[in-house]
Amino acid sequence: MVFKSHDNGFGSVTKSLHWVVAALFITVFSIGWYMDFLPLGMAKLEWMSRHKSLGITILGLAVLRIVWRLYEPSPKALSAHKLERLAAKLGHLGLYAVMIAMPLSGWMMSSAANFPVSVFGLFTLPNLVAPNKELFETLRTVHWGLSWAIAVLVGTHVAAALKHHFIDRDATLRRMLPHGTKKVAANPSKEHRNV
Ligand code: HEM
């Protein structure tokens, strides 16, 4: 098993973190929209509590993911177009940014509303800001705005992965899948087909 990413593929740590965070991200996003439509009551509060706990889990994993990303080399982008490579880089940067900004804005929003965040009932996080109704409303708008940014970023990201797979027919998606990476050392010109 290859733990670290290399020139032509992702390692198992990055792949695991990518898919766990992706699944959590989509789950927390869906819960967020679902609970917004629920009337005030026990069910809404329970879903809100799950939303917060899973959101904080994302924050922890995102920090881990960024630290690991800084530590290991990154595989070469397979696209031949400079602009496409730049767009991918900016998109990934945007995804890292929302992985941090979204849970953080939620945590700050709860603090501003003076509802400390309990993580799965195991421990309670300290408030990040003092209770403040105006700040709560601002953070609520930020959190809502970020959810649209996420929809655009993730939607574009998935569409790009599918375009690489079905139209360009390169290894971009395969090398992010569990058994999609072989470490090819010798002939770099064949790497795209081998991974
Ligand atoms: C079904 C959904 C998804 C698919 C099919 C998918 C696919 C991929 C693929 C193929 C790559 C590698 C791109 C490359 O080689 O340059 C990648 C990278 C990445 N994905 Fe996803 N992804 C999905 C969901 C997500 C979600 C929800 C997030 C954010 C929470 C995310 C964040 C990232 C980031 C930040 C990278 C860049 C990794 C790096 O730093 O090199 N992905 N994804």
Side-chain angles (χ1 to χ4, degrees):
M1 188 185 289
V2 186
F3 284 105
K4 263 173 94 171
S5 300
H6 44 88
D7 263 5
N8 61 311
F10 291 99
S12 53
V13 174
T14 292
K15 287 183 192 180
S16 308
L17 284 170
H18 175 271
W19 291 113
V20 170
V21 172
L24 283 172
F25 219 68
I26 292 164
T27 307
V28 174
F29 181 87
S30 312
I31 294 177
W33 279 100
Y34 170 69
M35 70 191 197
D36 213 33
F37 290 102
L38 289 176
L40 196 61
M42 269 317 280
K44 189 176 179 111
L45 292 176
E46 274 169 13
W47 280 109
M48 222 181 249
S49 163
R50 287 173 196 134
H51 177 81
K52 288 182 189 182
S53 295
L54 291 171
I56 295 300
T57 308
I58 291 178
L59 182 61
L61 290 173
V63 170
L64 207 70
R65 191 166 171 198
I66 290 167
V67 171
W68 182 258
R69 175 70 169 77
L70 295 174
Y71 159 76
E72 66 170 13
S74 186
K76 287 195 178 81
L78 299 181
S79 172
H81 305 286
K82 213 173 160 187
L83 218 69
E84 219 175 81
R85 290 201 300 272
L86 179 70
K89 249 192 194 144
L90 290 177
H92 293 163
L93 220 77
L95 285 167
Y96 283 122
V98 291
M99 275 189 254
I100 298 290
M102 192 62 171
L104 208 58
S105 65
W107 182 0
M108 286 173 79
M109 182 168 52
S110 284
S111 305
N114 205 14
F115 278 117
V117 179
S118 160
V119 182
F120 299 111
L122 297 173
F123 56 94
T124 302
L125 298 176
N127 274 349
L128 288 179
V129 293
N132 180 328
K133 191 156 174 14
E134 242 174 64
L135 181 63
F136 166 74
E137 289 300 341
T138 307
L139 288 165
R140 195 175 174 183
T141 310
V142 169
H143 202 67
W144 176 83
L146 282 173
S147 78
W148 284 102
I150 286 168
V152 172
L153 281 168
V154 173
T156 315
H157 181 69
V158 175
L162 295 177
K163 182 219 171 236
H164 275 288
H165 194 70
F166 291 108
I167 298 175
D168 303 340
R169 293 178 180 274
D170 65 23
T172 302
L173 178 58
R174 253 177 298 137
R175 69 183 187 174
M176 190 46 108
L177 297 176
H179 299 292
T181 308
K182 281 184 207 148
K183 198 165 182 171
V184 183
N187 189 349
S189 64
K190 286 186 177 169
E191 278 177 4
H192 296 183
R193 271 160 268 139
N194 282 342
V195 287

